[in-house]
Amino acid sequence: MASFLLVGVATAYAVSAPTSVTPSGVKNEGDAYSVTVAVTNDRTESITVQSDWYYSVNCSDCWTYWGSENYSVGRDATVTKSKGSNAGVPGTVMKFAVNTYWAEAAGATTLLQSSAGFTVPLVKFTVTSTGGGSGGSISPATQSVTGGNTTTFTLAPGTGFIGSATGCGGSLSGNTYTTGAIT
């Protein structure tokens, strides 16, 4: 999920591994996460780098500035920096980018871009219908519904019966029962 783009002159330092998001796997609403970038300096002198942090929510090309940090990386050393927060509401797509700069003595600037992200999955619910018997039927018996959405059931009253349904904050129109938003 991460990509590297090196611009400028060749350097003797490296940004190790792609930016990462931890903990890995599914992030549920409210889960803590951190975005990490590691800078390794294999030069014989210390370097000063700048990391600019960005995030995007539900947009493939919309970035919001999250902060900047300047720090020193000693010779033959690795410095790891992290920023964190909590995952958003279900259905949120979170993306992160870290642009890390280092100025060469000759005045050229090297830029490394790395990125990572995750999706907060939508919650699914199972809605079950009951009743009917000799007075008729309701279908389907169960449905899987994404949280925040509604669903419908069809009533088929038996001869001499009038259809009625209650529950899930819904309403009946003819023989179709529509639930309220399932949460």
Side-chain angles (χ1 to χ4, degrees):
M1 196 178 257
S3 62
F4 290 96
L5 171 64
L6 230 40
V7 179
V9 297
T11 64
Y13 88 101
V15 174
S16 67
T19 300
S20 63
V21 178
T22 57
S24 61
V26 173
K27 309 288 181 295
N28 292 311
E29 182 176 6
D31 283 356
Y33 65 82
S34 65
V35 182
T36 303
V37 64
V39 179
T40 300
N41 175 16
D42 60 6
R43 297 179 64 95
T44 57
E45 69 273 355
S46 294
I47 61 173
T48 299
V49 297
Q50 174 180 327
S51 290
D52 295 334
W53 302 75
Y54 299 87
Y55 68 90
S56 172
V57 180
N58 294 336
C59 183
S60 61
D61 207 18
C62 310
W63 294 98
T64 301
Y65 179 72
W66 196 12
S68 184
E69 188 171 4
N70 294 320
Y71 48 97
S72 180
V73 182
R75 62 188 188 121
D76 294 322
T78 298
V79 173
T80 301
K81 295 292 180 174
S82 295
K83 289 183 80 65
S85 190
N86 294 85
V89 298
T92 302
V93 177
M94 296 290 300
K95 290 196 254 176
F96 306 92
V98 181
N99 296 335
T100 301
Y101 304 87
W102 173 56
E104 291 272 10
T109 300
T110 299
L111 162 67
L112 181 101
Q113 297 173 314
S114 50
S115 62
F118 63 85
T119 299
V120 181
L122 294 170
V123 178
K124 293 279 192 176
F125 294 93
T126 300
V127 180
T128 304
S129 64
T130 58
S134 63
S137 64
I138 184 168
S139 63
T142 62
Q143 291 191 68
S144 179
V145 181
T146 301
N149 290 326
T150 63
T151 191
T152 60
F153 291 91
T154 302
L155 282 66
T159 304
F161 288 88
I162 297 172
S164 68
T166 59
C168 297
S171 61
L172 182 63
S173 176
N175 286 331
T176 302
Y177 184 77
T178 303
T179 68
I182 304 298
T183 56

